[in-house]
Amino acid sequence: MSETPPNATADFDTMARDIAEVPAVEVIVTVAVNLMSAAAVKLGLTEEGDQYKDLDEARKLVHALAGLLDAGATEISSFHAAPLRDGLKSLQLAFREASIVPDAPGQGPGEKYTGAVFG
């Protein structure tokens, strides 16, 4: 049987206090930026290029980002939402460009939430 180390509870309590001090807007924006960054890597848009390119993974990340922005946009204000939406659109367009077999309009990653994306 494994036992929880005595300092694990203290670490969890510290983490809970730290996260309690972070405004929800900051958490949502941070998660969105992390999804954007991961999607960019999976689309091959980083310096490493195609080394980490995986369009199936990119599709999932872009779709999750679109869902988060759709659900959270009213909560984070247009000041925060507008640049995130611009980034999302850029990722959606990059996905279309990278895809060998194009999705039908409105069927690309995240387009369930954003509508069809065109250049």
Side-chain angles (χ1 to χ4, degrees):
M1 290 176 80
S2 72
E3 290 186 29
T4 305
N7 64 344
T9 304
D11 290 343
F12 180 77
D13 291 343
T14 301
M15 288 183 346
R17 272 194 308 277
D18 289 347
I19 199 75
E21 296 173 7
V22 179
V25 169
E26 198 171 318
V27 173
I28 293 167
V29 170
T30 299
V31 170
V33 169
N34 285 333
L35 286 168
M36 289 175 85
S37 298
V41 169
K42 296 296 184 177
L43 285 168
L45 301 176
T46 60
E47 287 182 13
E48 293 83 13
D50 290 346
Q51 181 179 357
Y52 301 109
K53 189 173 184 176
D54 184 336
L55 294 183
D56 184 51
E57 291 289 302
R59 176 183 294 278
K60 293 171 187 171
L61 292 163
V62 172
H63 190 77
L65 174 62
L68 175 65
L69 294 181
D70 183 56
T74 58
E75 305 300 326
I76 63 174
S77 81
S78 60
F79 175 78
H80 295 289
L84 294 173
R85 282 192 193 117
D86 290 345
L88 170 60
K89 182 177 180 183
S90 295
L91 291 169
Q92 288 172 311
L93 291 171
F95 185 91
R96 278 202 178 279
E97 191 174 300
S99 184
I100 296 169
V101 180
D103 293 315
Q107 300 300 309
E111 290 182 358
K112 169 183 175 180
Y113 301 106
T114 64
V117 175
F118 302 100

